[in-house]
Amino acid sequence: MTILTPDAWKESLVSRHYIPTPEITIALSLAQSLEKPLLVEGPPGAGKTFLARTAAHILEASFIRLQCYEGIDASQALYEYHYAKQLLYINALREPLAAILGQRSFDQAVAELEELLPLWGRPFLTRRPVLEALDPADHKPRVLLIDEIDRADREFEALLLEPLSEFSLSIPEFGTIQAVQKPLVILTSNRSRELSDALRRRCLYVWIELPDRQREAAIIQSQVPQASESFAKDVAEFLASYRHAKPHHLPSIAEAVELATALCLTGENPRPLTPDNVDETLPIFAKHPRDMALGRQIAERKSRP
Amino acid sequence: MNSSISSAALTAADFNQSLTGFANTLRRHHFIVTTDDLVTAEMACAILKPHSLLEFYLTIHPCLVKSSAQDDLFRKQFWEYFSPRNDTRAEEATGQWAMTLEPAIFHSATPSPQKALSKSWKHALLQRLANGPRQLASFEAFLEGHYQNSAILVFRHPLTQQDKTWIVRHLAALARQQIINPENWPNVEEVLQRYRRLIEVVERLSPSSFRSVRRNRDNGYFHQPEHLSSSDILHLSTQEWNAPLAPLPDTYRDTLTAAIHSLAKHLQGDFSRGHEIRRKHLVFNYRQTIKRSLATFGEPAILIKTARPRRIRRIVTLCDISGSVQSVSSLFLAFLYGLHQIFEGRIRHFAFVSSADEITRHFAGQGYHQLIYQVLNHASIDYQGFSDYGALWKQMTRVYASVFDDNPIVFVLGDARSNRYPPEVDRFRAISRRVHAIYWLNPEPRSQWNLGDSSVARYKPYARFVEIARFNQLVDFLQKLPGMVIL
């Protein structure tokens, strides 16, 4: 995996329509150089997941996403043995094995069985996202996104400590698997709960805020080809005022882009957001009855000279 | 961020050398910097080779900062540590700054009588300072007598900023008079040191510093520090002076912790009627069935049923720290501290007066005493405001709505007095529908619950109100809570 400098990261991210802050590019560069996971925190919709996906594209690495939720455990995140497959093999090979091993002493039979049918070996090991990232079957680089880690239980964080600090995974039945090529690991959190210090200590940290007017306008311009500079600014200005009015649902960057796209859909030139057409676009960014009224109010206020 | 501050004169070696000192400064502010973090930051500097303070800041930031809560402190300390500054302390120590004050201030009369509280130390002190002691010894004796009183009274009588300025200026003027008298020279340094310390103390006192808990131990609260001797007062750290709440003593906290531990056994799991309900809801477990069948080659296949995954209960606490409940604030904070020790990671804390701020970050890796200091000095709360429960519910439903997502148990610690602001009962009802239960710990006696501006009657249909005014009541409540939850 090529190690990129902060400037190279900036250039690559911008070329892929992600407008980064200096903090993001420096953190990404350090995560690669220091081979440490990167913990990205920020409000929902600030672009954390998109950052990981874009980083995978830039590095031409396979992107693996582990979506965390309450109750997730090792069998869904790290690895699991394929018990049904084991059972099938045992049943299918029971008679041939009995014929082969029947003449041997007990010790010899056990040793030979281990060789003939390694029940706890790789063929029966199901790779879950973390193992797949550490020990990829195709030996290609990986970017592992552990998304919304704050949704998982605290105990689950402990399961990740070894992979995050050592880039290895200890499986009692098998042994320790060490990553030959260390993946770029990005963890995201919406801060619905505090993560443990042990996890934080193993990571570099970056906070991504919802974009300011300038950055949001740049993002819109970058992602919506029809958007002119003044149009992007208008949309960003509108959304900034809307967020400032504290709606129930804060529009994300994706919703900002969708709003701009919707306004560009009809006609040759993008339509400015006015009280007349705001109703058509409300479903994109207002996700609460009170927010809809708020959206109309802001549009009306903006249209006043 | 002040991007204009950059220094071409600084080299990478300078940065690394400074890094250790900066890390120590951060540690002094209860900011955890491990050796590993420091090494990571040094490696980051070696890789990226920052050439300006801003680049240096951006380089070490992801290595040392581990949560957004640390961000403000890091930023503030960084720019304070690395930016050029005037050494005001040195100037003060030499008494130079006193010389720059206008002469009129030195000779001004005693402050107007309405400013001076009768029978208070402030009045007496100003009177004496205005006249000026003739002998150093007498002045020292005078101070000696007043240190004791001032330490106690300064807790009780809030001084305005102007009052404090008066005292500082008079002390400074007096210090100058003493310094310029050659007879006093052998003792000048000592005297000056004492002046400086007193001045520092007075300067740093904020209006919130004058709150204190005045219950005695029999009531379960800590008594205010009247036992301090004059020498102790001079050696008190600024932190201690600024601690508005006397902390709950260790013995009380031990009892509280034991009660919370007992409660935890019921709270940890499903928070329901224990195992009975879970046993009734066993579900077929495919994985376990196949796994178990390996032992018998699948014949016979034993169906395995297991309980549904435990839903881990989360807790949210909302603690009023306004002046009206200050007598129990330290007790409530001790309760929250005890809860946090056990439910760390599943609990979020908010403190509020007229607006709320999340204070969960202050619990991480902190001792109880640091917690009190942090909450009362660093939370973004208007401590001088009036408690406004309506504003709290508004803020909680708008800004922190997600904290009620996981069907948590909510503890509200406060007197439910909204100071005539709208109580926003609808919002409170909406919250109560989203959470498992709301327990309202009210420090007021039941007889006063529905008097005056109390909103207890409005909130009561949606929460369980409990009177918690004394330590023993809290312990009793904790012991009964599991039973209440089952019901």
Side-chain angles (χ1 to χ4, degrees), chain B residues 178-406:
Chain B
Q178 295 298 328
I179 291 164
I180 58 176
N181 183 356
E183 289 176 14
N184 293 332
W185 282 356
N187 300 319
V188 159
E189 196 177 342
E190 188 194 336
V191 173
L192 187 60
Q193 286 292 337
R194 301 182 80 165
Y195 288 140
R196 278 192 56 225
R197 299 195 73 157
L198 187 59
I199 289 168
E200 273 178 13
V201 165
V202 176
E203 273 185 329
R204 290 186 187 194
L205 288 174
S206 62
S208 62
S209 306
F210 300 102
R211 295 179 188 162
S212 63
V213 180
R214 293 189 192 152
R215 302 295 178 91
N216 57 43
R217 285 174 192 276
D218 299 332
N219 282 335
Y221 306 123
F222 188 57
H223 200 269
Q224 69 180 54
E226 288 180 349
H227 60 280
L228 289 173
S229 71
S230 57
S231 58
D232 286 341
I233 292 158
L234 271 183
H235 291 101
L236 276 178
S237 67
T238 312
Q239 265 190 29
E240 286 165 301
W241 273 95
N242 268 338
L245 290 174
L248 205 68
D250 290 347
T251 47
Y252 285 91
R253 280 194 293 121
D254 290 345
T255 313
L256 195 58
T257 307
I260 295 170
H261 264 290
S262 158
L263 170 71
K265 288 176 193 165
H266 300 269
L267 289 178
Q268 288 277 14
D270 199 5
F271 211 177
S272 64
R273 265 164 281 191
H275 302 291
E276 284 180 26
I277 284 181
R278 285 209 297 276
R279 215 174 282 141
K280 286 178 191 168
H281 291 93
L282 296 180
V283 290
F284 173 66
N285 189 324
Y286 166 76
R287 280 201 185 87
Q288 289 292 328
T289 302
I290 298 289
K291 195 175 177 182
R292 187 71 65 84
S293 297
L294 281 174
T296 59
F297 294 99
E299 295 167 8
I302 304 158
L303 298 185
I304 306 292
K305 287 185 175 181
T306 51
R308 288 181 191 280
R310 284 192 319 173
R311 187 175 177 80
I312 293 170
R313 186 64 64 196
R314 299 189 189 281
I315 297 175
V316 176
T317 67
L318 305 164
C319 185
D320 186 349
I321 51 172
S322 65
S324 59
V325 292
Q326 67 174 3
S327 59
V328 288
S329 289
S330 75
L331 179 68
F332 282 172
L333 285 174
F335 170 52
L336 302 190
Y337 180 76
L339 276 179
H340 194 88
Q341 299 308 301
I342 295 165
F343 299 103
E344 190 185 5
R346 302 175 200 170
I347 186 165
R348 292 179 75 176
H349 307 280
F350 296 84
F352 65 93
V353 179
S354 56
S355 63
D357 184 31
E358 179 161 11
I359 55 170
T360 315
R361 60 187 183 277
H362 298 309
F363 287 79
Q366 304 261 30
Y368 168 65
H369 296 270
Q370 283 87 20
L371 167 72
I372 288 196
Y373 174 74
Q374 292 280 346
V375 168
L376 297 170
N377 288 282
H378 294 300
S380 309
I381 292 170
D382 171 23
Y383 295 100
Q384 301 308 301
F386 297 99
S387 54
D388 180 354
Y389 284 82
L392 169 71
W393 308 132
K394 257 188 202 170
Q395 197 178 356
M396 292 309 294
T397 48
R398 283 184 180 178
V399 185
Y400 299 111
S402 62
V403 303
F404 303 116
D405 279 350
D406 295 320

Side-chain angles (χ1 to χ4, degrees), chain A residues 47-300:
Chain A
K48 303 183 289 292
T49 306
F50 186 51
L51 173 67
R53 199 182 289 278
T54 313
H57 285 149
I58 290 168
L59 298 171
E60 293 174 353
S62 302
F63 179 65
I64 302 174
R65 177 174 177 172
L66 171 62
Q67 174 64 52
C68 296
Y69 54 89
E70 195 171 303
I72 191 172
D73 60 17
S75 66
Q76 285 131 18
L78 308 182
Y79 69 92
E80 190 183 21
Y81 274 101
H82 202 320
Y83 300 116
K85 190 177 172 185
Q86 285 175 329
L87 194 59
L88 190 71
Y89 272 62
I90 287 172
N91 274 323
L93 300 174
R94 197 193 302 179
E95 285 177 18
L97 284 174
I100 296 168
L101 302 174
Q103 311 300 322
R104 313 280 196 280
S105 68
F106 179 75
D107 288 345
Q108 279 177 331
V110 169
E112 203 157 332
L113 184 61
E114 285 283 316
E115 205 174 303
L116 288 171
L117 188 59
L119 277 175
W120 305 107
R122 284 181 191 269
F124 296 98
L125 197 57
T126 307
R127 291 153 187 279
R128 299 297 187 205
V130 173
L131 180 58
E132 179 59 31
L134 295 179
D135 185 32
D138 56 7
H139 304 290
K140 283 184 181 170
R142 294 279 192 271
V143 170
L144 171 64
L145 168 66
I146 302 177
D147 211 4
E148 300 188 338
I149 179 75
D150 53 325
R151 285 183 185 272
D153 305 318
R154 205 171 180 79
E155 292 76 7
F156 179 69
E157 287 179 26
L159 289 173
L160 293 177
L161 296 182
E162 188 195 1
L164 292 183
S165 58
E166 309 291 330
F167 287 96
S168 66
L169 190 58
S170 296
I171 303 171
E173 299 91 341
F174 182 80
T176 301
I177 295 176
Q178 179 73 45
V180 179
Q181 189 176 17
K182 292 179 180 170
L184 174 64
V185 182
I186 297 178
L187 299 96
T188 71
S189 162
N190 292 330
R191 291 199 70 237
S192 67
R193 70 170 175 85
E194 283 293 322
L195 302 176
S196 68
D197 278 345
L199 184 80
R200 288 182 184 278
R201 213 169 41 239
R202 284 162 172 81
C203 303
L204 298 177
Y205 178 82
V206 69
W207 170 266
I208 302 185
E209 191 52 86
L210 282 168
D212 54 20
R213 289 173 168 83
Q214 213 174 356
R215 190 167 158 238
E216 187 151 49
I219 292 169
I220 291 169
Q221 252 195 301
S222 164
Q223 298 206 15
V224 185
Q226 305 95 312
S228 63
E229 193 180 340
S230 63
F231 171 75
K233 264 186 189 171
D234 280 350
V235 175
E237 189 74 32
F238 170 81
L239 285 171
S241 307
Y242 180 73
R243 287 190 189 112
H244 186 70
K246 295 184 179 166
H248 277 269
H249 168 77
L250 281 177
S252 65
I253 296 176
E255 284 161 327
V257 172
E258 282 164 12
L259 175 62
T261 311
L263 290 168
C264 292
L265 279 179
T266 51
E268 286 180 10
N269 296 321
R271 294 175 302 159
L273 202 61
T274 61
D276 301 329
N277 64 6
V278 72
D279 275 2
E280 299 164 28
T281 55
L282 278 177
I284 297 171
F285 61 92
K287 308 287 167 77
H288 190 276
R290 187 186 155 274
D291 292 355
M292 302 189 100
L294 197 64
R296 287 186 200 103
Q297 273 175 23
I298 304 285
E300 206 160 305

